[in-house]
Each structure stands twice: as C-alpha cells, then as structure tokens.
Amino acid sequence: MSHFLIFGLMLVTCSIAFASDPSPLQDFCVADPKSPVLVNGLVCKDPKLVQANDFLFRGLNIMGNTTNAVGSNVTAVNVAQLPGLNTLGISMVRIDFAPMGINAPHTHPRATEILTVIEGRLLVGFVTSNPENRLISKVLEEGDVFVFPEGLIHFQQNIGHGNAVAIAALSSQNPGVITIANAVFGSNPDIPGDILAKAFQVDINVVYQIQSKF
Ligand SMILES: *[C@@H]1O[C@H](CO)[C@@H](O)[C@H](O)[C@H]1NC(C)=O
Ligand SMILES: *[C@@H]1O[C@H](CO)[C@@H](O)[C@H](O)[C@H]1NC(C)=O
C-alpha cells in the first residue's frame, strides 16, 4: 500500500473515532487562560502548578434567574468556568425553567447532550435533518433521561405547574450554542430581509418585524 493510501485510511479511521472532542494525550491539560498561544482547545497550565480547585466548580445548586423573554436560564459548566475540563470532551449545564418557560430551539455544533429532569415536567424534542425533518418528542417526568444527538435542533418547555430544573451533560468541553431565532433573525449585521422572506415564505415586513425583536 502506498503511503498516500495509508494516510487516507488513517484520516477515515480518525474521523470515525473522533466524532466529538479528540481524546487527551496525557492525564490532564488544565487550561491556562492567560496563554497568548492559540490552539485547538486551550494551552495546558504547567502540571506542577495545577491545584485541586482547577477541577472544581461550585454553585450548580443555585437557581438561575428566569425573569427574561423565554422564561429559562442555562448555567453552563464548560471549560470557560472549569479549566480542568480542557481536552476531556465533556461538560454540563443546569437549566432552570419558570412555569411555561422554554429553552428555545438551538443546536450544539460540537456535542451530543444527555439531559435528566431533577424537578418538574418538560416537553422536549429534536428535529432530524433534511429531507425528513421529523420531530422526535417526549414528555419527561422527574428522573427521566433524554438524549439530543449532536448537531440537531432541539428544545425544552416547562409544562408542569411550578418551576422545573434539568441537569444535562454534553460531549464537548466547549459544546457551543446556536440559538436558531437569534442566529437567523438577530445576526450582526442582519441577513438581508429578502433572503429571509424567501426562505420563510413570508412578506418582507414580517421579517423586519421579527428582526426588530432581536
Ligand atoms: C441567568 O441567571 C444568572 C444568575 O441569576 C443571571 O446573572 C443571568 O443574567 C441570567 N441569564 C439570563 C439570560 O437571564
Ligand atoms: C432577575 O432578573 C430580572 C430582570 O433582569 C431583575 O429585574 C430581577 O431583579 C432579577 N432577580 C434576582 C433575584 O436577581
């Protein structure tokens, strides 16, 4: 086999094995937020200077403030809040919901999400890719666990009587969030109105009206 072919095979194998964050090559690589060096991920702090606190985040027992337009609040614990997560391919969030609050349709470009309901009752769902665009949806009670596959648009809504709380884990140290409404109607600068009018099959004034809210 030629070297070229072997290299090609390695690329294929890697892309299958590393569908999410790549595997670490050492015990840990605590992020050094002060490093000016830019890499895929964050530069490692000198392991001799690493402290137990680099692996600790406190406060996920604290409710987020849900007094906002959507009635929910996401408290993220990813590599930005917990430097010890660097290179480990995992993170978590707490999601608080006011009654009827929603976590608006969004996608994580780099992570699958597994969510459990700690308190309350949620309607959750995700939509499969084109051409089916099938909505896969479920009502979750306390203790139920649901998975949102990597990259797919998903949402949650509190359909219980009081507040709701969920905890979710994500398969990236930095999953990223693209909130569909904000990305499409609130980009900076705006996507031209005639493009959105055609895409959504509505009058351009409807587009301007929605854009004005973001
Ligand atoms: C979420 O809650 C935190 C803590 O109460 C608050 O600082 C933050 O502004 C809230 N975020 C939103 C989007 O309401
Ligand atoms: C929650 O956020 C709202 C809107 O920003 C604010 O008016 C309110 O004081 C906040 N509540 C708490 C407990 O911080």
Side-chain angles (χ1 to χ4, degrees), residues 63-65 67-68 72-74:
M63 183 188 174
N65 186 338
T67 307
N68 53 48
S72 76
N73 191 303
V74 179

Side-chain angles (χ1 to χ4, degrees), residues 200-214:
F200 286 83
Q201 298 284 296
V202 294
D203 188 85
I204 195 160
N205 290 309
V206 175
V207 170
Y208 293 150
Q209 193 200 340
I210 302 175
Q211 282 176 331
S212 73
K213 304 208 185 264
F214 291 92

Side-chain angles (χ1 to χ4, degrees), residues 55-150:
F55 301 95
L56 173 73
F57 173 93
R58 283 197 164 118
L60 218 56
N61 57 323
I62 299 168
M63 183 188 174
N65 186 338
T66 56
T67 307
N68 53 48
V70 289
S72 76
N73 191 303
V74 179
T75 307
V77 187
N78 58 49
V79 72
Q81 293 80 26
L82 181 46
L85 283 176
N86 193 36
T87 74
L88 297 183
I90 196 165
S91 59
M92 75 191 299
V93 293
R94 169 185 172 133
I95 316 169
D96 287 287
F97 301 86
M100 292 315 289
I102 63 158
N103 189 8
H106 64 280
T107 155
H108 304 290
R110 293 177 288 277
T112 289
E113 172 173 349
I114 181 168
L115 174 145
T116 187
V117 178
I118 300 297
E119 181 188 325
R121 188 169 212 234
L122 296 179
L123 169 67
V124 306
F126 65 84
V127 179
T128 68
S129 56
N130 300 350
E132 291 82 8
N133 298 137
R134 177 178 165 205
L135 172 64
I136 297 183
S137 167
K138 199 77 189 165
V139 171
L140 304 184
E141 312 288 348
E142 282 173 22
D144 289 355
V145 177
F146 199 78
V147 64
F148 305 103
E150 180 163 341

Side-chain angles (χ1 to χ4, degrees), residues 154-172:
H154 59 283
F155 61 84
Q156 297 107 28
Q157 179 181 40
N158 180 4
I159 57 166
H161 295 296
N163 291 333
V165 183
I167 298 284
L170 296 113
S171 61
S172 171

